[in-house]
Structures are given as C-alpha cells and as structure tokens.
Amino acid sequence: MNTLWKRKEELAENQLQLGEKIESLDRKIQQMTDESKAASSRKKADEEVLSALNVKMAAQKEQLQTATNDVERLEATLFEQYQEKEAAESKIKALQDNLTNVSTSVEETSREIEKLRVQKEETALKIQTLNEERSALQSEVKQLEEKLTEENNKASFYLEQKNQAEIEIGRAEVDAKNREDRLLETYAVSKEEAKARKVPEMPEEELRGKVRLLKRSIDELGTVNLGAIEEFDRISERFDFLKGQQEDLLNAKETLFQVMGEMDEEVKKRFGESFEAIKHEFSAVFPELFGGGKAELVLLNPEDLLTTGIDIVAQPPGKKLQNLSLRSGGERALTAIALLFAIIRVRPVPFCILDEVEAALDEANVVRFSRYLKQFEQSTQFIVITHRKGTMEEADVLYGVTMQESGVSKLVSVRLEETAELIK
C-alpha cells in the first residue's frame, strides 16, 4: 500500500513537473513571439527612417546638382568676362598704338580711353562679384557634400541596424521553430494544439483515465504503412501511363473520325457521280430493250447519300408510269436487266455470269435481250446459264451437260461459228 502511495506521489510530481515545463515552454514561446514582433516593429521603424533618409539624400543630391550647375554657369560667365577684359585691354593697346601712328584728335582719344577705363573697372567689378558668388557657391557645395556624407553615414548606420534586426528576427524565428519542433516531437502536439488543449487542473484519477484513453486511441490507429509512399509512386506512375494511353487513344479516335469523314465525303462524291452516270445510261438502255417507253432512277433521300434508298420508276410502251414493284414479273426482270446493262456501260467489266436472268421473259423480249448482249462482245465476255432457245441462238459457244449413263455426267460443247461454216 505504501509502495502504491509512493508511486502515486511520484506520478503526481512528474505530472506537476511536466505541467511546469509546458507552461515554461509556452512562456518562452510567447516571449520569443513578443521579441519577434518587437524586432519586426524596430525593423519597420528603421525602414521608415531609412526611406526618409533616402528621400532627403535624393533632395540634397538634387540641390548639389543645381549648385554645381550654377557654379559651371558662373565659371562660363567669368570666362566670358575675362575674354571681354582681354578684348578691352587689346583695344586700349591698339588705341594707344594708334595715338602714335595715326594723327587723331587727342580729346576723342582721351574720351575713348576714359570709356574703356570705365568699362575695364565695370568688368573688374563684375569679375569680383562673380568670384564672390563662385566662392559662396563652392562653400555651399562643400557644406552640401559634408551634409551628404553625414546622411550617407546615417543611412549606413540604419542599414546596419536593419540588418542586425533582421538577423535577430531570423534567430528568434529559428529558436521558436526549434522549440515548436521539440514540443511536437516530445508531446506530439503543435503550439496551437497545446494552447487549445490547455485545461484547468483536474483530479489525478481523471487525468490518468484520460491518459489511458488517449494511449488506447493511439494503439487503435495501428502501425504506420511505410510502403504507402512507394505504392503511391507506383500507382501515380501507372496513372500517368494510362492517362498518356488515353490521350493517344483519343487522338487516334479523332484522327479516325476525321478519316471516316473524309471517306464519307469521298463515298458521297463517287456515289453521286456513279449514280448520275448509271441513271443516264439506264434512261437510254430501257427504251432500247423495251422498244420504247422510259424509266428513271430516283433517290429516296437525296440529302443523305450514305443511307438513301434507290427507287426505279418505269413506263413500258403503252403503259402508265408506275413504281417497279407494281409491274409484272417479266417487266421487272427486263427492267433489272436494263439496269445491269446500264451499270456495265458505265463501268465495263471483262467477265460476267448471268444465271437464267431471262427466265421470266416472253420470246420477243428474250430475243431483244440476247441481241443486246451482242453489243458488249468487244469489251465483256458473258457466260449465260439459260434454257431459252432465243438466247442460245445468239451465243457463240454452247456448253451442255448430259447423262447418257446413270450417274455419269458428260460435258458437250458446240461452237456455233464453226457449225455455220459447215452448213454453208
């Protein structure tokens, strides 16, 4: 029991010491903060004084420049007066020489000499005045230079004070930062959190319970995932890669749609040209096969050539104009043959197979069909599968399959051109 009591007293004493340390740290942090603020205030005041000195220095420099300009102007004037003096002396000398060489009036010469003497005195007076002004200006310039030097010394002093204040502020900030880091490392709390968590004194048991609860909460957080950074880097790299792939795919998609649009335009262009050509040829072939009449190909949706349908409107001789679906089987077959021949005339092919296309035609139309085939014999070779005599009569070569014996087929061919020569 005594041991527990001593342990309790030790813990209470440690708690009291920790509280005193925290309060001491808070006081030191507050002191450093106040010192930092004071140093900042001093720095600001020094900067204001330095700025005022700079303004004053600039004004004095301007005054010095003005005085220098005045001195230069006075020196130039003095130089001109000296030149005037020398000119006057030269003139006096010349007059004196003229007195010897030229016979002039003594009275005029005297007046001229007196006049020149007066001018000389006035010039000398002006020169003296200018010398006095020059001396005064030089004295003023010297005073301004001394004052400028003094102001420069003051500016250097305040600048040094400013630099010293900045160094002290930096040291105070570093010291405050170190104290905050130690507080964070030792107690895992920041300065603001420590101030916010400051509570009035509590009973020891309540404090112990609160400490146990906080430790349990820390334990429940679990271990720190040290591989989270590497995992983040890996996932970030994967994300950048997939993002680049996505951009490539989007660019490829845009390019593909552009190519598809160009292909659609080319298809529309070629389809329109081919349709107009076939339409023209169909209008010409139809009356040739039917012995008159007229027919036309019509687009169901001219605005959209990629999805439009094509309708055939035919008018055989002696009948009214109707849709192809309303015609008889023979008329539909012969119209389809006319369309086929129109396509071949637009786009000739070297080889074509027809499988009983004239089966639904009457004898007269079979003859027209077979004779029309002869028009293409120079450009297209036709293989026609047929049972109609009229078509066979116009063929160059006939091929037939017979079965003389059961299960045995035999191919028989006849070249009608050679047969015609034998008959002759």
Side-chain angles (χ1 to χ4, degrees), residues 256-365:
L256 182 60
F257 276 121
Q258 183 178 357
V259 173
M260 290 174 61
E262 294 175 356
M263 291 179 63
D264 288 344
E265 293 299 325
E266 184 65 21
V267 168
K268 289 179 182 179
K269 178 182 177 183
R270 294 190 180 185
F271 175 79
E273 294 174 353
S274 299
F275 176 79
E276 292 298 329
I278 293 172
K279 178 180 178 181
H280 176 73
E281 294 296 334
F282 179 66
S283 299
V285 172
F286 183 85
E288 292 179 7
L289 283 177
F290 277 86
K294 63 179 180 178
E296 185 181 5
L297 297 178
V298 180
L299 292 176
L300 298 180
N301 186 9
E303 301 298 329
D304 189 0
L305 296 181
L306 295 177
T307 60
T308 183
I310 301 176
D311 201 359
I312 300 175
V313 179
Q315 185 180 8
K319 297 184 179 181
K320 64 180 180 179
L321 187 66
Q322 286 181 326
N323 190 280
L324 185 62
S325 60
L326 302 177
R327 296 297 175 186
S328 63
E331 291 175 343
R332 288 200 299 269
L334 192 57
T335 303
I337 293 171
L339 179 59
L340 173 64
F341 287 155
I343 294 173
I344 294 175
R345 289 177 65 169
V346 173
R347 295 291 174 85
V349 293
F351 189 77
C352 182
I353 298 176
L354 302 178
D355 186 5
E356 298 188 18
V357 295
E358 83 288 30
L361 303 180
D362 55 17
E363 290 299 331
N365 288 328

Side-chain angles (χ1 to χ4, degrees), residues 88-270:
E89 290 178 349
S90 299
K91 193 172 182 180
I92 291 172
K93 187 177 180 180
L95 289 174
Q96 289 175 352
D97 293 338
N98 289 332
L99 285 173
T100 304
N101 300 323
V102 182
S103 176
T104 57
S105 176
V106 175
E107 186 178 354
E108 291 179 358
T109 304
S110 299
R111 286 197 299 269
E112 187 70 23
I113 292 171
E114 181 67 22
K115 183 178 179 181
L116 291 174
R117 186 182 62 78
V118 172
Q119 290 180 355
K120 179 179 179 181
E121 291 177 355
E122 290 177 354
T123 303
L125 183 60
K126 288 182 180 179
I127 291 172
Q128 183 180 0
T129 304
L130 290 174
N131 286 329
E132 292 176 355
E133 290 180 359
R134 178 183 178 184
S135 300
L137 288 174
Q138 288 178 345
S139 177
E140 186 178 354
V141 168
K142 186 176 181 181
Q143 292 178 359
L144 289 174
E145 288 178 348
E146 292 175 354
K147 196 170 184 180
L148 180 61
T149 303
E150 183 181 356
E151 296 296 336
N152 286 332
N153 294 332
K154 286 183 180 180
S156 300
F157 172 75
Y158 283 116
L159 183 61
E160 184 178 357
Q161 292 293 321
K162 173 187 174 184
N163 294 333
Q164 188 65 28
E166 289 178 350
I167 293 172
E168 292 179 0
I169 291 172
R171 289 176 180 174
E173 291 177 350
V174 171
D175 193 10
K177 183 68 170 58
N178 292 334
R179 291 177 182 275
E180 291 180 8
D181 293 340
R182 287 200 299 271
L183 180 63
L184 183 63
E185 182 179 356
T186 305
Y187 301 103
V189 291
S190 63
K191 181 181 72 174
E192 290 76 12
E193 291 175 343
K195 290 181 179 180
R197 293 181 181 181
K198 189 175 181 180
V199 295
E201 295 187 4
M202 300 171 59
E204 182 179 354
E205 291 299 327
E206 187 175 352
L207 286 173
R208 289 179 181 275
K210 191 171 183 180
V211 170
R212 287 195 296 269
L213 180 61
L214 292 174
K215 288 183 177 180
R216 188 179 305 148
S217 300
I218 293 172
D219 294 337
E220 289 177 354
L221 292 176
T223 57
V224 178
N225 184 11
L226 300 178
I229 298 176
E230 290 78 5
E231 183 70 15
F232 171 77
D233 293 338
R234 185 183 65 80
I235 294 176
S236 178
E237 183 178 358
R238 178 64 176 169
F239 172 76
D240 294 338
F241 172 75
L242 293 177
K243 187 176 181 181
Q245 294 291 318
Q246 182 188 21
E247 291 178 355
D248 293 340
L249 290 174
L250 291 176
N251 293 333
K253 176 183 176 182
E254 184 178 355
T255 304
L256 182 60
F257 276 121
Q258 183 178 357
V259 173
M260 290 174 61
E262 294 175 356
M263 291 179 63
D264 288 344
E265 293 299 325
E266 184 65 21
V267 168
K268 289 179 182 179
K269 178 182 177 183
R270 294 190 180 185

Side-chain angles (χ1 to χ4, degrees), residues 4-17:
L4 293 175
W5 184 257
K6 288 180 180 179
R7 181 62 177 167
K8 178 179 179 182
E9 289 178 351
E10 290 176 358
L11 292 174
E13 186 176 355
N14 291 333
Q15 179 185 1
L16 181 61
Q17 291 177 357

Side-chain angles (χ1 to χ4, degrees), residues 19-67:
E20 291 175 354
K21 287 182 178 180
I22 291 174
E23 291 178 357
S24 177
L25 288 173
D26 287 338
R27 287 194 298 272
K28 287 181 179 180
I29 291 171
Q30 185 63 37
Q31 181 180 357
M32 295 301 296
T33 303
D34 295 338
E35 291 177 357
S36 177
K37 291 180 179 179
S40 298
S41 300
R42 290 198 302 273
K43 177 183 176 182
K44 185 175 181 182
D46 292 340
E47 288 178 350
E48 292 177 354
V49 172
L50 182 60
S51 177
L53 287 174
N54 288 330
V55 174
K56 190 174 181 181
M57 187 185 302
Q60 290 178 354
K61 285 182 178 179
E62 185 175 358
Q63 293 177 1
L64 178 59
Q65 184 63 35
T66 303

